[in-house]
Amino acid sequence: MTRPRAASQRFVAQLPTRVRSRVEVIYSPILEIKPLPVKIDTSGVRGLILTSANAVNAAVSLGVSRHLPAFCVGPATTGTAKGAGWEATMVGATAEELVAFLLKHRPESPLLHLRGEHTRGNIALRLTESGLTVREQAVYQQRLLPLTPEATAAADGLLPVIAPLFSPRTARQFADIWTGSAPLWLAAISQATADPLYSLDYARLKIAKEPTPKKMQKAVKKLVKHAMRVEGNETTD
């Protein structure tokens, strides 16, 4: 599992018991999330845009007001925001869907997009250019990490390795650091995440039908089934 430990454990816990019983789970985060030591000015802001659970967690640690409505991408971000006390609304499964929703419904602005240092989509710029004033502020950093010794050993082994990738940046990092000879089975949460992986020598690449945890779980489930059928062996994840 390549996500930060807590997110990886949540994902694994939601897999069917039969799938978990057939693999050895290896946690090897290749991205570390840390809140930035910044002050957030919400004066005049009429709502928040939250596009990741990491942004929600950083906002909590930075003391951002819970009285602002939050427009969120995806069920995980929305659930995390609601759990933290925000009046959160899921307005799409992707940044594109969020932009379309906000331009159609045009809530009171200005809005504030809380994001990581590295982000895609230019949400604030695109919305502002379309007449909906949106500011943005980076509230967490994403530091790339190497594979753990345990993951490196699995990569150099004989058993098939199933690697779920959840963002284009982590996919690029994985493609850069993977040097293993083990049979490689990949699951990507989106086409943009899959693109950096085509340079790898893999047995199979499965792209989730939608960029959601539920669809990624289905992709991993299918990979486990196919890998075990082909290899006739225990797999590592």
Side-chain angles (χ1 to χ4, degrees):
M1 295 300 301
T2 59
R3 304 179 87 184
R5 182 76 180 223
S8 289
Q9 288 177 328
R10 285 195 301 270
F11 182 82
V12 171
Q14 292 167 354
L15 290 171
T17 302
R18 180 170 172 78
V19 172
R20 284 186 275 124
S21 68
R22 301 172 78 179
V23 298
E24 175 192 351
V25 179
I26 295 174
Y27 294 100
S28 180
I30 57 177
L31 193 69
E32 181 181 43
I33 305 297
K34 286 190 174 181
L36 289 168
V38 296
K39 292 184 178 180
I40 300 176
D41 181 10
T42 57
S43 58
V45 171
R46 306 307 296 269
L48 302 176
I49 295 175
L50 300 170
T51 48
S52 75
N54 294 322
V56 178
N57 294 331
V60 170
S61 70
L62 294 169
V64 177
S65 172
R66 310 295 207 282
H67 298 296
L68 296 168
F71 302 98
C72 303
V73 169
T77 303
T78 308
T80 304
K82 286 182 177 179
W86 273 281
E87 181 186 337
T89 303
M90 177 176 160
V91 296
T94 65
E96 293 297 323
E97 292 179 2
L98 174 136
V99 168
F101 177 95
L102 293 177
L103 289 179
K104 178 180 179 180
H105 295 277
R106 294 191 174 270
E108 290 185 279
S109 62
L111 303 175
L112 176 62
H113 180 201
L114 301 179
R115 59 171 181 80
E117 285 184 322
H118 301 275
T119 189
R120 302 174 67 252
N122 296 318
I123 290 173
L125 177 62
R126 291 166 60 193
L127 289 172
T128 299
E129 288 179 343
S130 297
L132 186 65
T133 304
V134 178
R135 305 203 312 258
E136 63 180 344
Q137 184 168 359
V139 292
Y140 64 92
Q141 63 181 183
Q142 306 118 301
R143 187 167 69 92
L144 297 173
L145 301 173
L147 292 175
T148 64
E150 186 181 9
T152 299
D156 293 333
L158 299 176
L159 295 178
V161 173
I162 296 174
L165 283 308
F166 292 84
S167 73
R169 191 159 187 254
T170 52
R172 286 193 297 273
Q173 171 70 352
F174 186 83
D176 287 342
I177 63 179
W178 175 267
T179 58
S181 56
L184 182 60
W185 298 67
L186 299 167
I189 198 167
S190 65
Q191 181 61 56
T193 301
D195 287 342
L197 303 173
Y198 290 125
S199 62
L200 294 170
D201 182 15
Y202 54 83
R204 186 163 185 172
L205 169 59
K206 177 74 175 176
I207 302 174
K209 291 185 177 181
E210 295 175 5
T212 64
K214 185 175 180 179
K215 295 300 183 182
M216 273 294 279
Q217 289 156 19
K218 286 188 175 181
V220 170
K221 180 181 176 181
K222 289 181 178 179
L223 286 182
V224 170
K225 180 180 178 180
H226 289 301
M228 296 194 71
R229 181 186 302 159
V230 171
E231 302 292 335
N233 243 321
E234 183 183 4
T235 63
T236 56
D237 180 3

